[in-house]
Amino acid sequence: MDLLNTLVDKGLRRELPTRDEALAVLATSDDDLLDVVAAAGKVRRHWFGRRVKLNYLVNLKSGLCPEDCSYCSQRLGSTAGILKYTWLKPGQASDAAAAGVAGGAKRVCLVASGRGPTDKDVDRVSETIKAIKDNNEGVEVCACLGLLSEGQAERLREAGADAYNHNLNTSEATYGEITTTHTYEDRVDTVQKAHAAGLSACSGLIAGMGETDEDLVDVVFSLRELDPDSVPVNFLIPFEGTPLGKEWNLTPQRCLRILAMTRFVCPDVEVRIAGGREVHLRTMQPLALHLANSIFLGDYLTSEGQAGKADLEMIADAGFEVEGTDQVTLPEHRASGGCGGGGEDGGCGSQESGGVCGSAGTAAPARADEARTDLVAVRRRGAGTDLAPNA
């Protein structure tokens, strides 16, 4: 297929595809799906080989968020039966992180619900970062605390944070349809603050709300312009008790196309499969490793993920290898810039979540997926509980 040959050539040169080319990837047929995966896989292997980076989420403070993000089980007004607890102590968070590191995680993502941290919160997280780094040699720490005020990114960097996550989630044109308590511009500003402070910026998207192909291309092109080192791709986990709890619009095939499009647009960036892979990719998860070079290990913020042991077996069976702490994730031309890496994380903010309803443009051609409510399980173990974590 001429389209795929062109996209591979552009990906190997780090050249931006056209919007029409990106849209064409999302419009490919199921008959062409394996060709799409193989083409994007060439770009992935060129920049990242067969390495898979493992990331581990620690939910420092769960639930009771004042923001109204429609996709999120922790949102204002959510009736989802999730765990709710206030800040973990630094020692508790360090213990939770150690379980992920023991399972093979190279990066620990510290996430807290809320609009953004107070200065006291930054002090608390700084102590937590120190505790984790003191007990886990070589581990990377990414913070995901919401909107940042002036000077807070610098303080986190001084405390030892390596990265900061804040996802754009969806296109600028439709952002107001999923959140009214803050703006798309607020999110862009926080990513830019992380960049300016020398943190590795991490920012991604959420798919699965019935958003259009144009919306998906818009947000991925916006991410390319922001130039994060890491782009997490979340697939909505429809939690009962949230406004988007009835949205089941993804198929495994569509998820693969979205990941492939993201890889073509962001060829040399850490593309991470984040929340929802077990729910929507299901048995097609191993194919997604040919597109993304990073995944979360074990559970998410408020939902359970695949068993950590199964994650490791899947990686090995698919012919990939877990990236070690002694290996540099990013290609040399990005990594040589230091933690900022030339440009940044669930994607640490893996919100089980994402996209848009009722957006303008051409509707996504994929058929609606079967509602697999049996695969949506609220997290009842790990951080904030007395039960052993899944790692």
Side-chain angles (χ1 to χ4, degrees), residues 58 70 224 362:
V58 177
S70 300
R224 165 84 181 227
T362 305

Side-chain angles (χ1 to χ4, degrees), residues 285-297:
Q285 290 182 67
L287 273 182
L289 295 176
H290 291 271
L291 309 170
N293 62 296
S294 181
I295 67 171
F296 280 106
L297 175 73

Side-chain angles (χ1 to χ4, degrees), residues 162-391:
D162 300 285
Y164 195 84
N165 164 250
H166 202 59
N167 295 330
L168 296 187
N169 289 334
T170 191
S171 66
E172 181 176 11
T174 55
Y175 192 83
E177 297 179 26
I178 62 166
T179 304
T180 66
T181 48
H182 61 266
T183 67
Y184 179 91
E185 290 75 17
D186 290 333
R187 287 187 170 267
V188 170
D189 178 68
T190 285
V191 177
Q192 292 173 336
K193 281 185 169 72
H195 264 312
L199 290 165
S200 179
C202 172
S203 188
L205 64 139
I206 306 165
M209 273 7 80
E211 68 273 355
T212 67
D213 286 358
E214 286 82 356
D215 288 324
L216 288 169
V217 169
D218 281 350
V219 69
V220 176
F221 270 60
S222 294
L223 289 165
R224 165 84 181 227
E225 185 175 354
L226 268 181
D227 197 26
D229 291 332
S230 174
V231 173
V233 179
N234 291 277
F235 302 109
L236 178 77
I237 300 178
F239 270 96
E240 292 186 12
T242 65
L244 300 181
K246 302 298 184 185
E247 296 289 339
W248 291 87
N249 302 300
L250 294 172
T251 64
Q253 295 84 358
R254 181 154 175 81
C255 292
L256 290 171
R257 291 187 190 96
I258 292 167
L259 287 167
M261 185 270 288
T262 304
R263 173 56 71 198
F264 286 130
V265 176
C266 304
D268 59 337
V269 164
E270 177 189 342
V271 175
R272 182 177 311 156
I273 315 171
R277 65 178 164 94
E278 299 88 347
V279 177
H280 296 293
L281 280 164
R282 299 192 288 275
T283 59
M284 302 284 268
Q285 290 182 67
L287 273 182
L289 295 176
H290 291 271
L291 309 170
N293 62 296
S294 181
I295 67 171
F296 280 106
L297 175 73
D299 292 334
Y300 301 99
L301 297 178
T302 60
S303 67
E304 291 187 355
Q306 184 169 278
K309 183 174 182 289
D311 288 336
L312 298 176
E313 289 176 348
M314 175 182 72
I315 291 168
D317 288 349
F320 293 87
E321 61 184 29
V322 173
E323 183 174 289
T325 56
D326 60 335
Q327 295 175 295
V328 178
T329 300
L330 296 173
E332 185 177 357
H333 64 272
R334 295 187 70 90
S336 61
C339 250
E344 157 162 58
D345 122 355
C348 300
S350 170
Q351 294 291 340
E352 285 94 54
S353 50
V356 212
C357 296
S359 49
T362 305
R367 65 190 180 279
D369 199 11
E370 175 189 0
R372 290 298 304 274
T373 55
D374 59 307
L375 295 177
V376 180
V378 172
R379 179 174 69 84
R380 301 295 184 196
R381 59 196 175 194
T385 77
D386 295 325
L387 299 178
N390 172 27

Side-chain angles (χ1 to χ4, degrees), residues 33-152:
L33 182 61
L34 288 180
D35 293 330
V36 172
V37 172
K42 290 180 181 178
V43 178
R44 180 255 200 263
R45 288 191 301 277
H46 177 80
W47 296 112
F48 299 97
R50 303 191 73 82
R51 292 174 285 116
V52 178
K53 182 175 181 178
L54 297 182
N55 309 268
Y56 190 70
L57 284 165
V58 177
N59 196 353
L60 296 178
K61 180 168 71 76
S62 183
L64 307 175
C65 182
E67 303 299 287
D68 68 355
C69 307
S70 300
Y71 51 79
C72 187
S73 61
Q74 303 185 77
R75 74 185 297 272
L76 178 71
S78 169
T79 59
I82 62 169
L83 290 170
K84 297 181 177 68
Y85 53 85
T86 190
W87 290 94
L88 298 181
K89 293 181 171 58
Q92 293 173 313
S94 180
D95 288 345
V101 174
K106 180 177 179 177
R107 173 175 288 190
V108 172
C109 304
L110 303 176
V111 188
S113 62
R115 179 178 178 83
T118 65
D119 288 341
K120 182 178 179 181
D121 293 336
V122 172
D123 289 340
R124 180 186 285 113
V125 175
S126 296
E127 293 177 22
T128 299
I129 293 169
K130 183 179 186 302
I132 290 172
K133 292 214 161 190
D134 284 348
N135 294 321
N136 300 279
E137 185 177 358
V139 71
E140 299 174 5
V141 175
C142 179
C144 177
L145 311 174
L147 302 173
L148 292 175
S149 302
E150 292 298 329
Q152 291 183 329

